[in-house]
Amino acid sequence: MDIEKINSMDFGEFVDVFGNIIEKCPLIAAAVWSQRPFSDLEDLENHFFAFIDALPRSGQEGILRCHPDLAGRDLQRGTLTAESQREQSQAGLTSLDADDRLRLQRLNAQYRQRFGFPFVLAARLSDRAAVPRELARRLHCQPESELRTALGEVKKIGHLRLADLLGADPAGVESPRA
C-alpha cells in the first residue's frame, strides 16, 4: 500500500485499516486521519506518535491499559486482537508450559499492582525466555521511567504494525523515539 492510497482513504476505511496500530485505540487513527496528507510512512508514523506524546499522563496510561497481559487471560480465552495473537505467537508465548504461564501471571499481577497498567513489550522483538526476565527487571524501575519505557514499547509495536500493513521493511523506516 502506498502513501497516495493512504491519503485517498475516506475516514471509515482509514480507521478500519489503521485502527489497531495502537492496541484497541481506533480513536487515535480517527484523529490521525484528519492530519492528511502524509508525505511518507515516517510522516504517518510520526502523527500517531505525536498524538500519544501530546496526551496527558492519564491518557497515556489509558493507552497502556488497552494492552493485554503477555501470555495472560486474553490469550487463554482466545480474545486477543489478531495483531496481538500473532505477536505473542512469534515470541513463543502461545506455547508456554503451565509453570512458565503461572510465573508470567504472577509477574504481570505484581507489575499491574505497582504501576497501574499492564506490562507492555514489543513481543515480536523478544522471545519466551527474555519476556519474564525483562518483566522482572522493569518491576524495579521508577514509575515515571517505566511509563516512558512502556510508551516506547507501544511505539515499537505501532512501528512494526505499520510496516506490516504497508509492506515495508521495519528496519528501512526510522525506529520510533521513546
Side-chain angles (χ1 to χ4, degrees):
M1 182 181 331
D2 63 21
I3 202 70
E4 290 78 25
K5 167 114 174 82
I6 293 166
N7 286 329
S8 69
M9 288 179 173
D10 67 27
F11 177 80
E13 182 182 12
F14 188 90
V15 173
D16 283 347
V17 171
F18 297 103
N20 207 44
I21 294 300
I22 307 302
E23 183 78 10
K24 297 181 183 174
C25 293
L27 287 175
I28 296 176
V32 168
W33 178 82
S34 67
Q35 312 268 324
R36 295 169 310 133
F38 308 107
S39 58
D40 56 23
L41 172 60
E42 185 177 342
D43 185 38
L44 173 63
E45 182 175 274
N46 287 339
H47 282 285
F48 273 93
F49 299 160
F51 184 93
I52 293 169
D53 292 340
L55 288 172
R57 181 184 179 110
S58 61
Q60 292 174 338
E61 289 177 354
I63 286 172
L64 297 173
R65 285 188 199 100
C66 289
H67 284 262
D69 284 335
L70 294 176
R73 186 176 313 153
D74 288 328
L75 174 64
Q76 304 314 312
R77 291 182 177 167
T79 57
L80 288 174
T81 63
E83 295 88 348
S84 285
Q85 174 71 36
R86 184 175 57 251
E87 292 156 358
Q88 290 197 33
S89 178
Q90 288 174 337
L93 299 176
T94 57
S95 58
L96 295 175
D97 64 32
D99 289 341
D100 288 339
R101 205 169 31 254
L102 185 60
R103 178 171 181 236
L104 262 179
Q105 186 178 33
R106 280 195 297 262
L107 287 167
N108 277 320
Q110 290 171 355
Y111 185 96
R112 272 184 186 270
Q113 183 175 22
R114 175 158 165 71
F115 297 110
F117 49 81
F119 173 71
V120 178
L121 180 73
R124 280 171 57 178
L125 302 177
S126 198
D127 62 50
R128 67 191 304 156
V131 169
R133 281 195 313 265
E134 181 64 3
L135 207 168
R137 183 192 72 76
R138 285 175 46 193
L139 263 169
H140 300 290
C141 292
Q142 292 302 309
E144 197 59 39
S145 171
E146 185 53 28
L147 176 67
R148 284 191 309 276
T149 299
L151 290 171
E153 293 297 315
V154 166
K155 291 175 183 179
K156 287 178 190 176
I157 294 165
H159 173 79
L160 292 167
R161 288 179 179 184
L162 274 170
D164 286 348
L165 277 173
L166 302 176
D169 175 6
V173 178
E174 182 179 323
S175 290
R177 301 173 310 276

